[in-house]
């Protein structure tokens, strides 16, 4: 039987997954605030693939465009278009589909 001092269950809103966040900024501003030139660089051609984040990734998109659509347990999060000039944060553990519509190049950093 339940004891009286048990805490109530957390509301379902507290259980929702974090969204992808996008902030528009110039390359100079991204360098000044985040030192993006010291981060790794990654790119790919137009393609579509599944991805899972192991760690929170912050990226600055140098060129290109991608639609990132969360999947599985993350499917309630909104699809997000990411393009050149975006500083984007992808949450740890997110599963998604990357639909690269213009060849993409980005600096990235895991935290």
């Amino acid at each position: 039987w339940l004891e009286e001092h048990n805490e109530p269950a957390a509301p379902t809103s507290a259980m929702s997954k974090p969204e992808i966040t996008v902030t528009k900024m110039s390359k100079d501003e991204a360098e000044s605030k985040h030192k993006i030139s010291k981060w790794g660089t990654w790119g790919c051609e137009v393609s579509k693939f599944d991805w899972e984040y192991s760690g929170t990734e912050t990226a600055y998109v140098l060129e290109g465009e991608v639609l990132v659509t969360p999947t599985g347990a993350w499917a309630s999060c909104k699809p997000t278009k990411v393009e050149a000039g975006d500083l984007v944060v992808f949450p740890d553990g997110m599963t998604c589909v990357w639909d690269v519509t213009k060849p993409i190049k980005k600096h990235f950093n895991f935290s």
Side-chain angles (χ1 to χ4, degrees):
W1 60 283
L2 295 175
E3 296 180 8
E4 289 178 21
H5 67 271
N6 281 356
E7 292 182 21
T12 51
S13 61
M15 307 295 251
S16 63
K17 303 280 191 188
E19 298 281 351
I20 299 167
T21 59
V22 176
T23 307
K24 298 272 185 205
M25 68 175 60
S26 70
K27 187 176 176 184
D28 288 344
E29 185 182 359
E31 179 61 30
S32 170
K33 286 184 174 178
H34 302 284
K35 306 289 184 252
I36 60 170
S37 63
K38 297 184 186 311
W39 295 0
T41 304
W42 179 87
C44 77
E45 295 302 312
V46 171
S47 54
K48 190 171 187 175
F49 56 90
D50 294 317
W51 191 252
E52 180 174 355
Y53 287 91
S54 53
T56 299
E57 179 185 328
T58 302
Y60 182 77
V61 181
L62 298 164
E63 55 192 58
E65 185 177 289
V66 60
L67 178 65
V68 182
T69 303
T71 58
W74 296 79
S76 63
C77 297
K78 65 182 182 295
T80 303
K81 184 174 89 167
V82 180
E83 58 193 352
D86 287 347
L87 183 82
V88 57
V89 178
F90 299 102
D92 180 23
M94 173 175 271
T95 54
C96 55
V97 172
W98 269 56
D99 186 359
V100 180
T101 53
K102 295 178 185 169
I104 198 157
K105 185 175 178 184
K106 66 177 183 167
H107 285 304
F108 69 94
N109 186 49
F110 282 94
S111 57

